[in-house]
Amino acid sequence: MSYRVYSRTGDRYLGNTNKREVHDLIHEDASPIIAAGHALGFNPDTLDQAHVEGYDNCRYCIGELTR
């Protein structure tokens, strides 16, 4: 189950609804995605949940694209 993100939270993974990519916030700044209104959080906050919801890995902060 996903939810819109309007500010930086303690979550690790963030989806970009514009590109359908998931980002690892340990390795990337979420500010541009949040400011553009394209941020989506995942519940549970796992990479597997992002994949279940159809999001591909960001090649820069996670690597190994899934599609």
Side-chain angles (χ1 to χ4, degrees):
M1 172 186 247
S2 53
Y3 57 93
R4 284 280 182 193
V5 175
Y6 299 101
S7 63
R8 181 68 172 99
T9 64
D11 294 337
R12 178 172 179 177
Y13 296 102
L14 184 75
N16 180 336
T17 59
N18 190 43
K19 294 184 177 184
R20 299 291 295 179
E21 290 180 339
V22 59
H23 300 275
D24 183 344
L25 299 184
I26 289 176
H27 300 106
E28 186 167 335
D29 178 17
S31 299
I33 299 167
I34 294 169
H38 300 293
L40 192 75
F42 303 100
N43 186 14
D45 182 34
T46 64
L47 189 55
D48 287 339
Q49 182 64 31
H51 292 161
V52 165
E53 295 192 32
Y55 283 77
D56 196 6
N57 294 343
C58 168
R59 78 174 98 188
Y60 302 107
C61 63
I62 298 175
E64 297 186 31
L65 301 177
T66 60
R67 47 180 145 142

